[in-house]
Amino acid sequence: MYSDKVIEHFRNPRNMGKIEDADGVGEVGNPVCGDLMKIYIKVKDGKIEDVKFETFGCAAAIATSSMVTELAKGKSIEEAMKIGRDDVARELDGLPPIKMHCSNLASDGLKEAIKDYLSKRGRE
Amino acid sequence: MRVYLDHAATTPVDEKVLEEMLPYFTKKYGNASSLHSFGREARDAIERSRERVAELIGAESEEIIFTAGGTESDNIAIKGIAFRKGKGHIITSQIEHPAVMATCQHLEKKGFDVTYLPVDKYGMVSPEDVENAIRDDTILITIMHANNEIGTVEPIEEIAKIARENEIVFHTDAVQSVGKIPVNVKRIGMDMLSISAHKIYGPKGVGALYIKKGTKIEAIIHGGGHEKGLRPSTENVPGIVGLGKACELAEKRMEEDMKRMQRLRDKLIKSVLEIEESYLNGHPEKRLPNNAHFRFAAVEGESLILSLDDKGIAGSTGSACSSKKLKPSHVLMAIGLNEVQAHGSLRLTLGRENTEEEIDYVIEVLPPILEKLRAMSPLWKR
Ligand SMILES: Cc1ncc(COP(=O)(O)O)c(C=O)c1O
Ligand code: FES
């Protein structure tokens, strides 16, 4: 049911874990099946210098979190904001239709982390 | 190593079963309704199987009809009573297999009333609840014998007694229990009981329904009058032969198999429960001897199943993520778990061929997998 790439990312997730002194944290819940994802970002000179994730969810949720962190790393805030669920799914050679909502979760998590960063910075 | 621990889903066909089935494909292929020797050969085989099935559950052979599986047996039994009565009230539980639950839900749409009884935290139906749910127009009680997910064995003897006292037909889905634990329809006092071959080392797509002499049901399938007109269609002779042989083997081996599997299962449970924040679902004692059902905090079941699969271990989960409808198992909801808790469920069901070495392998492989999944879970405390 899953592509080789999904399975590969599920087995060896990239950027897994937590950033203690993160500049932005995004936490999203999956309204469909009730799972949870957290994305941590570290920003320097307008670029995402480091990004990590924690996910409580299915193999697709783990693989999409892993992929979204790979896609975001090194990108400018503006570019990273544009990463959508279809980009994540495409990079993983597709997802079963029933699992597209997990990809949503990953791109939403990243967006929330960026928004968190921006609002924190606005306050400073 | 490849370890199959999903025997509640299906079992391999026993070599002895296959051996007995094979001639009925290519040599003894007659239609059991035919008058010639080819037909008689097939008819004799069917009747021998009927005796073997009856023997296993303590029934008379004329009380057994062959069907195309557990789902069909459940449908013939439940709709058979409903259609005969035309209207009325049915009592069932919240933890039935979809073969029963969806049938009852369909009947509800057709104007029948259905009570879905709750269960306790172990998945037990209370006989008292059954008694209290009975109404003047109750036509059927259908409560499963053993639950396919958490393995809890229901007090069907007491429920049967209540049904008898109130003159209500009692059906049980015994697909998971027959062949694994002793089931005697006369001792229990059953009116109808469903069996499936592929859960007891027989072939898929064949089952049986016990219907006590004198219990009248209406046919839901119409055709050439086979199986007392309740399940018309040219008999699946190889399948029926396979079911018969599977029942014979089950009867012979049951005591020994039960003891062996229970010992391995208990070892598995004991070791797994040593893992931090792991819990057993289902009844601690009143459960199928081959069923272990766990819940692990902060872990999602599909990820767990696929990680185990990477190590060659086959299990199953009630997690919403792994279901076609993205809904957690109704059984786990009924025993009072929340969605997050249901996510971390793992069912491991043993079979005859499992060895101690395999169980030790699972005990060794499972903790690091949980550790890895927990390390990436935002719900896991650190
Ligand atoms: C309790 C129970 N009832 C019914 C069935 C359905 O049996 P079958 O697959 O033979 O239709 C199963 C198996 O999936 C089961 O576990
Ligand atoms: S996280 Fe639940 S289906 Fe993907």
Side-chain angles (χ1 to χ4, degrees):
Chain A
M1 124 185 193
Y2 288 128
S3 70
D4 291 347
K5 212 151 175 189
V6 171
I7 292 293
E8 203 275 317
H9 273 263
F10 164 66
R11 284 188 185 140
N12 308 300
R14 330 286 199 261
N15 309 307
M16 181 185 104
K18 198 173 185 164
I19 300 177
E20 291 298 344
D21 58 342
D23 297 320
V25 182
E27 182 172 333
V28 282
N30 192 334
V32 183
C33 63
D35 299 275
L36 199 67
M37 194 180 287
K38 255 178 155 172
I39 305 268
Y40 302 83
I41 55 170
K42 198 83 191 143
V43 182
K44 199 176 171 193
D45 302 332
K47 275 202 168 117
I48 297 187
E49 188 189 50
D50 196 12
V51 48
K52 283 201 180 334
F53 80 87
E54 289 180 312
T55 291
F56 168 68
C58 70
I62 292 170
T64 53
S65 337
S66 167
M67 182 50 84
V68 88
T69 60
E70 279 218 312
L71 291 177
K73 211 171 208 173
K75 286 219 167 66
S76 71
I77 293 291
E78 293 74 27
E79 285 170 325
M81 249 337 224
K82 284 189 210 133
I83 298 172
R85 72 168 193 174
D86 293 328
D87 301 310
V88 179
R90 195 179 328 107
E91 289 295 325
L92 286 166
D93 296 339
L95 280 172
I98 193 176
K99 294 288 188 179
M100 278 308 285
H101 66 103
C102 313
S103 190
N104 234 351
L105 200 59
S107 53
D108 286 353
L110 177 65
K111 285 192 181 74
E112 287 303 314
I114 295 171
K115 277 189 212 153
D116 182 50
Y117 160 74
L118 292 174
S119 77
K120 271 184 191 153
R121 203 189 49 172
R123 262 186 272 121
E124 273 164 19
Chain B
M1 196 184 280
R2 278 182 89 206
V3 185
Y4 185 76
L5 288 173
D6 204 10
H7 292 84
T10 196
T11 57
V13 173
D14 190 293
E15 294 285 349
K16 292 198 188 89
V17 170
L18 179 65
E19 206 177 293
E20 198 146 325
M21 288 171 68
L22 283 177
Y24 293 92
F25 286 104
T26 50
K27 294 195 184 73
K28 307 181 180 180
Y29 48 77
N31 182 325
S33 300
S34 302
L35 290 178
H36 44 63
S37 67
F38 293 84
R40 287 198 305 274
E41 214 163 47
R43 171 59 52 201
D44 288 350
I46 290 174
E47 296 317 318
R48 196 160 53 245
S49 286
R50 210 185 299 281
E51 281 162 25
R52 285 169 163 177
V53 176
E55 172 88 24
L56 176 64
I57 61 169
E60 305 291 327
S61 52
E62 63 265 31
E63 295 173 312
I64 305 294
I65 64 161
F66 291 112
T67 68
T71 303
E72 199 179 83
S73 296
D74 288 339
N75 271 269
I76 292 173
I78 296 168
K79 289 180 188 157
I81 289 291
F83 291 178
R84 186 178 157 82
K85 303 279 184 183
K87 59 182 193 317
H89 172 238
I90 297 168
I91 299 171
T92 185
S93 83
Q94 290 176 6
I95 61 161
E96 297 298 315
H97 186 275
V100 169
M101 185 163 278
T103 303
C104 288
Q105 285 163 346
H106 179 73
L107 289 173
E108 235 178 330
K109 278 196 213 124
K110 296 281 174 193
F112 291 85
D113 277 347
V114 182
T115 300
Y116 301 88
L117 293 177
V119 293
D120 68 12
K121 64 176 177 174
Y122 298 127
M124 276 281 181
V125 174
S126 138
E128 212 167 87
D129 286 353
V130 175
E131 187 145 34
N132 292 335
I134 292 173
R135 314 191 319 205
D136 288 342
D137 64 341
T138 303
I139 54 170
L140 174 71
I141 299 171
T142 174
I143 308 270
M144 71 197 321
H145 188 195
N147 184 265
N148 47 300
E149 290 187 40
I150 57 177
T152 299
V153 178
E154 303 296 338
I156 58 166
E157 229 168 302
E158 286 167 78
I159 298 169
K161 187 161 168 272
I162 292 164
R164 208 162 43 243
E165 285 164 4
N166 290 276
E167 290 172 24
I168 298 164
V169 174
F170 181 34
H171 164 256
T172 196
D173 177 333
V175 165
Q176 290 290 343
S177 60
V178 162
K180 294 198 194 95
I181 57 175
V183 175
N184 185 303
V185 291
K186 297 280 146 68
R187 198 169 310 138
I188 304 167
M190 287 313 306
D191 296 309
M192 292 192 283
L193 178 142
S194 303
I195 298 175
S196 177
H198 74 99
K199 309 287 187 183
I200 54 170
Y201 307 88
K204 294 165 183 62
V206 59
L209 177 64
Y210 159 78
I211 310 170
K212 185 177 155 187
K213 234 175 285 172
T215 307
K216 298 220 163 28
I217 62 174
E218 189 174 311
I220 63 165
I221 306 167
H222 299 89
H226 312 73
E227 298 299 300
K228 298 194 172 134
L230 291 172
R231 209 286 174 169
S233 180
T234 302
E235 294 87 343
N236 169 9
V237 184
I240 290 169
V241 167
L243 171 58
K245 184 66 182 176
C247 286
E248 188 200 59
L249 286 177
E251 195 181 4
K252 268 194 214 145
R253 308 184 42 139
M254 189 179 304
E255 209 168 318
E256 209 184 301
D257 281 352
M258 266 172 64
K259 253 191 250 153
R260 243 193 84 252
M261 277 193 280
Q262 186 157 344
R263 190 181 68 77
L264 292 179
R265 192 275 314 267
D266 288 347
K267 180 178 185 179
L268 179 66
I269 289 181
K270 187 168 173 287
S271 305
V272 170
L273 290 185
E274 279 166 17
I275 298 168
E276 199 179 351
E277 291 213 37
S278 59
Y279 308 89
L280 183 71
N281 292 319
H283 199 281
E285 288 111 37
K286 291 174 189 149
R287 70 187 303 138
L288 291 172
N290 72 324
N291 174 295
H293 197 290
F294 304 105
R295 166 168 87 70
F296 304 103
V299 169
E300 190 284 317
E302 189 203 273
S303 302
L304 180 54
I305 294 302
L306 291 177
S307 303
L308 285 167
D309 188 42
D310 277 347
K311 299 283 181 195
I313 300 166
S316 83
T317 177
S319 168
C321 300
S322 77
S323 86
K324 288 189 194 91
K325 292 180 195 140
L326 297 169
K327 289 269 174 292
S329 136
H330 66 287
V331 176
L332 300 181
M333 293 292 103
I335 61 172
L337 299 188
N338 63 35
E339 283 217 351
V340 171
Q341 291 170 329
H343 264 93
S345 62
L346 171 68
R347 180 184 73 180
L348 298 176
T349 42
L350 286 76
R352 279 175 195 161
E353 75 284 4
N354 290 127
T355 62
E356 179 130 27
E357 194 191 355
E358 290 177 338
I359 298 304
D360 289 341
Y361 174 68
V362 175
I363 291 168
E364 179 195 317
V365 163
L366 184 59
I369 288 175
L370 291 170
E371 217 166 281
K372 179 181 168 187
L373 293 173
R374 280 172 168 174
M376 72 174 99
S377 170
L379 298 179
W380 187 239
K381 55 176 183 13
R382 253 154 285 250

